[in-house]
Amino acid sequence: DGLNDSTTLFISFFFFFCETTELQLRQHKKYVFGHHCFKFLSIYIWISCGYGPLKTGIKREVDETLRPGVYALVDSCSDKDRQYLHTVFGGPCRNYLAALKQESDLNFKYEGKV
């Protein structure tokens, strides 16, 4: 199974985005990449739902590895961007976005003190 260049770039971005869990650095990345996060999130959802080039979705092992980065993307998207994705997506992609938001809220949100 070879990965094409766009998939490799996409995975590299996830690893860069979630390479640390320090709140300050994560907030800095959110500021720098925030206006692009919804684009990466939409690509991830599109591929996960089987609309990517291979039409097979993402393997479970790969998805589990990417999940912290996905949660970081969901967290970094503005409410406006998530609403935009909700509007343009239909069917399984819209449902997957809603599930990711719910999972992110349960599993990822930082609620401690700085």
Side-chain angles (χ1 to χ4, degrees):
D1 284 319
L3 296 176
N4 64 30
D5 290 340
S6 61
T7 305
T8 303
L9 177 64
F10 182 66
I11 291 170
S12 297
F13 174 79
F14 273 125
F15 283 115
F16 171 75
F17 197 83
C18 66
E19 68 188 358
T20 182
T21 58
E22 294 179 30
L23 177 64
Q24 186 177 19
L25 186 53
R26 188 168 62 223
Q27 287 176 336
H28 175 72
K29 289 177 185 177
K30 185 175 178 176
Y31 172 76
V32 172
F33 295 106
H35 59 285
H36 298 291
C37 289
F38 82 97
K39 297 170 191 172
F40 284 105
L41 183 61
S42 69
I43 293 167
Y44 167 80
I45 292 171
W46 188 256
I47 293 170
S48 292
C49 290
Y51 296 110
L54 301 177
K55 308 282 188 218
T56 59
I58 297 177
K59 291 181 180 180
R60 172 169 274 151
E61 311 84 53
V62 174
D63 190 53
E64 288 173 1
T65 302
L66 295 177
R67 196 49 65 114
V70 173
Y71 291 153
L73 286 174
V74 171
D75 185 53
S76 296
C77 286
S78 68
D79 291 339
K80 181 180 176 181
D81 288 338
R82 278 193 306 275
Q83 183 59 46
Y84 172 76
L85 291 177
H86 179 80
T87 301
V88 297
F89 279 146
C93 291
R94 181 180 290 168
N95 295 337
Y96 197 67
L97 173 62
L100 284 175
K101 174 66 173 135
Q102 185 177 21
E103 289 174 22
S104 174
D105 289 347
L106 291 173
N107 300 314
F108 183 75
K109 286 285 186 182
Y110 178 83
E111 296 179 4
K113 294 182 180 181
V114 179

